[in-house]
Amino acid sequence: MTTQPGQNDFAAALIDRALPVPDGVTSWTQPLPARRFGVYRNNVSGALVEALAVRYPVVKRLVGEEFFRAMARDYALHNLPRSPVLIYYGADFPDFIAGFEPAGALPYLADVARLDSAHWESYHAKDAIAVPQGAFASLAPATLANVAFEFLPSVRILSSPHPIVAIWRTNTEDAAVQPVDLTLAEDALVARPEMAVEVRTLPAGAAVFLSALRDGRPLGEAAATALQTAANFNLSQNLAGLIAARITARIIP
Amino acid sequence: MITVATIPARTGIGLKPQHYQEILRDRPGFGFFEVHAENYMGAGGPPHHYLEAVRKDYPLSLHGVALSIGGESPLNRDHLARLKALLERYDCGLFSEHLAWSTHEDAYLDDLLPVPYTGKTLQRVCDHVNETQDFLGRQMLLENPSTYVQFEESTMTEIDFISQIATRTGCGLLLDVNNVFVTCKNHNMDPNAYIDAFPVEHVGEIHLAGHDERRDDTGAPLLIDAHGSPVVNRVWKLYERAISRVGPVPTLIERDANVPPLADLLAEAARADRVLDAERQRRNSHAVAAE
Amino acid sequence: MTKTTNMISALALASALGAALATAPLAFGAEMEKCYGVALKGQNDCKAGEGTSCAGTSTIDYQGNAWKLVPTGSCVSMDTPLGKGSLEPIERPA
């Protein structure tokens, strides 16, 4: 009588390497062939690690190939994808990194991962056209405080106590890695007005200001909230930034 | 847009992001492009931008890698809807998927996992192929797998199993010649005999790729379907044998790892085109001789 | 806190917008990605053998206290173990 391993047993043994090769799995050279079954185990973990490496290239570079593989595999085998579309896989990997003890020596790592992830999401976000800059000039001064904005789907706003943009940028774009002052704090704006993803640092209060606008709150309220958070919030500088960054899909008067 | 969606009986290559710009600049002449459907299931951005531009000049074949047709779990209807949307948006000439499973319950295992060949699994795969074809409103091609293990419970050969699927569901077959080589070597079977017994009347496309060579615990060869190197000579020979039975059909050069310069893939494509041309000539001269 | 104090006057807003429209467009850190990341790699492949193939029998233990690895190239400061400028930019096909 032959054994019939269900896909339950097969899947469980793929994930938990302590489990034996499932009964009923065989080959012409031997029953329960460990190395042959190991190909599937390795394919599953290797492919998921690779998917995370594509989404988190700066994290991988900061910790090195070997460390990244080990960390990503630990995450992957405990957090299997729930969708077959891997573009959406690993969105909570930064939270995992934040709690991952062996990476504790790099306190900025989780926030750099959030920037990697924001870049990836922005890259794949739904396309939309930014309103022309002239649309801001025609807004009526009297009702300006009540104007709200809808941002492009590619807009991501991040706030960090670490210099995440400087770290990310020098590890992405510079031929020679530049020194970074780790005492700086940086907020970031990520957006894709056309096909290229743009990453910018934000001035004081801007992350609060833009987040309030993104959440649909009117301009007057968003500016007041930002002022309460950062005394040196500069409204005209932030409006200029908002206009120049081309992140507005719709102005709601 | 090329509105005739059929894929010509020529050679195509897998479309890789590394080659987007060179392709759009040089517009090299060859049969078609194929893409992995799941890589174009994001909402927008450069992948769709480039695929649209490429599609204006080339026919497109859509190759799914994650539908889990061999799975015990029900097919993912959301995924079927995403496939249908892509097929319509890009007016794809072919749609293919694998005789394998990759999703169990709600976890996606991201590999092409093997299916035992029994009456029960045959029924399940046929149900899933029927459901897919009904949902998409078109014929699909099913690809023979590369496998590394076998199952004690199997009662049919792979060829019997695949033939029955094609006969019962009316689906076409994607004959992956490298998978034939890998699977036969891994299970001590003769690849030539496999090609000679394959139900060629259902074949709508052929895949060619490279593989890695390892050893199992006993030291026996264990070939891995790695798609990271050129097609080897023994697989080319097997391809010629397959084409002489199948006739000229669309043929794809697959490369998913260690992606080389575009010119290298085009050179492999040209080699496959020569095989297709030779077969056309052979068939023509036979037809003339018969008159 | 009343609504009035929580709001910015219409006049202040209008003058800030006027100033913004007259400003050179460098208000947010304006360097931006131009050459990189235009065509990122897709994630779903049908290849096999990622990493060390047939590694099913390898016994590397990454769990808990057995963790022996440390992050290597924290290329963020002058004293990075790999030294300043020792790495090439991340490879992303343009």
Side-chain angles (χ1 to χ4, degrees):
Chain A
M1 145 150 193
T2 59
T3 317
Q4 301 181 15
Q7 290 178 358
N8 248 338
D9 298 336
F10 202 99
L14 287 176
I15 300 311
D16 184 352
R17 293 181 181 221
L19 291 174
V21 176
D23 283 345
V25 170
T26 189
S27 71
W28 73 279
T29 58
Q30 58 178 157
L32 305 174
R35 287 183 72 85
R36 288 167 176 264
F37 190 73
V39 174
Y40 293 110
R41 282 179 163 152
N42 195 55
N43 285 346
V44 172
S45 64
L48 294 178
V49 166
E50 178 62 22
L52 292 166
V54 173
R55 181 168 183 150
Y56 295 96
V58 175
V59 171
K60 180 178 162 189
R61 182 171 157 115
L62 289 173
V63 301
E65 171 91 29
E66 192 188 5
F67 187 96
F68 185 87
R69 290 196 76 82
M71 177 167 72
R73 196 169 87 161
D74 200 2
Y75 167 84
L77 295 182
H78 294 98
N79 300 272
L80 292 170
R82 299 293 141 183
S83 163
V85 185
L86 289 179
I87 286 168
Y88 301 111
Y89 181 55
D92 59 355
F93 188 45
D95 297 339
F96 175 88
I97 292 174
F100 189 69
E101 218 170 297
L106 307 180
Y108 48 80
L109 194 63
D111 279 357
V112 173
R114 291 188 177 97
L115 183 50
D116 262 344
S117 191
H119 181 275
W120 178 260
E121 289 177 3
S122 186
Y123 179 84
H124 286 290
K126 188 172 160 59
D127 297 317
I129 297 167
V131 297
Q133 304 191 350
F136 291 86
S138 55
L139 291 172
T143 54
L144 210 47
N146 298 323
V147 169
F149 300 88
E150 185 183 310
F151 287 165
L152 301 177
S154 62
V155 169
R156 298 290 182 278
I157 301 151
L158 292 92
S159 212
S160 175
H162 306 289
I164 53 172
V165 178
I167 293 171
W168 190 89
R169 194 184 298 289
T170 196
N171 280 285
T172 302
E173 299 174 0
D174 293 343
V177 174
Q178 300 300 308
V180 173
D181 179 354
L182 289 176
T183 64
L184 293 176
E186 282 183 336
D187 297 342
L189 172 67
V190 181
R192 186 173 53 76
E194 282 160 2
M195 284 301 131
V197 177
E198 300 177 356
V199 177
R200 300 157 192 267
T201 53
L202 290 173
V208 171
F209 177 61
L210 293 175
S211 298
L213 291 178
R214 178 200 57 202
D215 296 342
R217 292 163 65 193
L219 184 58
E221 201 184 318
T225 308
L227 254 179
Q228 282 167 2
T229 316
N232 55 346
F233 174 74
N234 180 326
L235 181 56
S236 66
Q237 180 196 14
N238 272 273
L239 286 171
L242 171 68
I243 295 166
R246 297 191 302 144
I247 58 172
T248 305
R250 197 160 68 96
I251 299 177
I252 306 153
Chain B
M1 179 77 72
I2 294 169
T3 48
V4 180
T6 40
I7 304 293
R10 293 184 59 198
T11 307
I13 61 174
L15 178 61
K16 293 286 149 191
Q18 292 91 327
H19 300 145
Y20 284 154
Q21 293 181 347
E22 188 178 350
I23 288 159
L24 293 175
R25 189 189 66 217
D26 298 346
R27 319 263 163 178
F30 60 96
F32 64 98
F33 277 111
E34 186 162 290
V35 294
H36 292 157
E38 286 73 12
N39 288 334
Y40 294 87
M41 289 181 176
H48 288 290
H49 170 80
Y50 283 112
L51 188 57
E52 268 179 8
V54 168
R55 178 65 187 91
K56 282 180 182 151
D57 287 343
Y58 298 92
L60 185 68
S61 167
L62 194 69
H63 189 50
V65 300
L67 187 56
S68 201
I69 277 180
E72 288 170 7
S73 308
L75 289 185
N76 180 334
R77 305 288 286 191
D78 292 341
H79 203 63
L80 280 171
R82 288 189 285 263
L83 288 168
K84 188 176 172 117
L86 275 177
L87 287 164
E88 286 170 3
R89 175 172 178 181
Y90 292 103
D91 190 21
C92 300
L94 287 173
F95 170 66
S96 52
E97 251 287 357
H98 299 82
L99 174 54
W101 60 284
S102 53
T103 293
H104 184 61
E105 292 173 345
D106 64 343
Y108 175 60
L109 295 161
D110 197 16
D111 192 21
L112 300 168
L113 300 165
V115 177
Y117 300 137
T118 70
K120 190 174 155 195
T121 58
L122 176 64
Q123 186 57 53
R124 188 173 74 222
V125 171
C126 286
D127 290 347
H128 284 170
V129 170
N130 283 330
E131 184 182 349
T132 302
Q133 295 189 132
D134 290 348
F135 191 100
L136 300 178
R138 65 187 292 159
Q139 188 194 38
M140 64 166 288
L141 305 181
L142 190 69
E143 177 178 339
N144 59 296
S146 273
T147 56
Y148 311 112
V149 300
Q150 292 174 308
F151 295 92
E152 281 179 14
E153 65 183 294
S154 286
T155 54
M156 311 167 72
T157 66
E158 184 168 295
I159 286 182
D160 285 345
F161 193 83
I162 288 172
S163 302
Q164 294 251 18
I165 296 168
T167 308
R168 291 194 197 179
T169 67
C171 76
L173 298 175
L174 195 177
L175 175 57
D176 187 313
V177 175
N178 183 59
N179 287 355
V180 170
F181 191 77
V182 166
T183 294
C184 288
K185 290 294 172 189
N186 285 346
H187 306 311
N188 199 29
M189 301 185 303
D190 176 6
N192 287 333
Y194 187 110
I195 292 293
D196 293 346
F198 201 81
V200 289
E201 64 274 21
H202 301 292
V203 172
E205 185 185 356
I206 288 182
H207 275 183
L208 293 172
H211 56 260
D212 286 350
E213 191 162 346
R214 300 283 191 279
R215 300 267 159 191
D216 77 359
D217 299 283
T218 70
L222 176 56
L223 305 190
I224 314 282
D225 182 36
H227 293 191
S229 52
V231 180
V232 300
N233 276 329
R234 288 182 296 176
V235 170
W236 281 115
K237 284 285 174 206
L238 206 54
Y239 173 62
E240 287 167 16
R241 192 179 188 99
I243 287 296
S244 74
R245 288 200 64 217
V246 177
V249 290
T251 299
L252 182 82
I253 305 292
E254 287 186 293
R255 185 73 70 90
D256 294 313
N258 307 321
V259 176
L262 182 63
D264 292 11
L265 294 181
L266 292 175
E268 282 193 284
R271 181 167 175 181
D273 264 330
R274 287 196 292 276
V275 176
L276 293 169
D277 286 342
E279 179 60 20
R280 269 187 211 98
Q281 281 189 359
R282 192 180 71 87
R283 293 193 172 215
N284 284 341
S285 58
H286 276 214
V288 171
E291 277 171 16
Chain C
M1 193 180 294
T2 69
K3 183 148 175 89
T4 336
T5 55
N6 200 23
M7 296 294 285
I8 288 184
S9 77
L11 183 64
L13 269 177
S15 81
L17 180 61
L21 289 166
T23 308
L26 290 169
F28 292 162
E31 272 185 78
M32 55 187 69
E33 179 182 352
K34 288 205 177 77
C35 316
Y36 294 89
V38 174
L40 301 182
K41 187 181 169 302
Q43 291 181 303
N44 281 87
D45 275 323
C46 58
K47 67 172 181 288
E50 264 298 335
T52 47
S53 293
C54 312
T57 52
S58 102
T59 52
I60 303 166
D61 185 359
Y62 296 106
Q63 305 300 317
N65 294 332
W67 190 281
K68 299 285 197 308
L69 295 167
V70 289
T72 55
S74 9
C75 0
V76 296
S77 61
M78 295 289 277
D79 56 359
T80 161
L82 293 172
K84 186 177 128 189
S86 60
L87 296 176
E88 294 299 307
I90 284 177
E91 279 183 43
R92 282 179 176 167

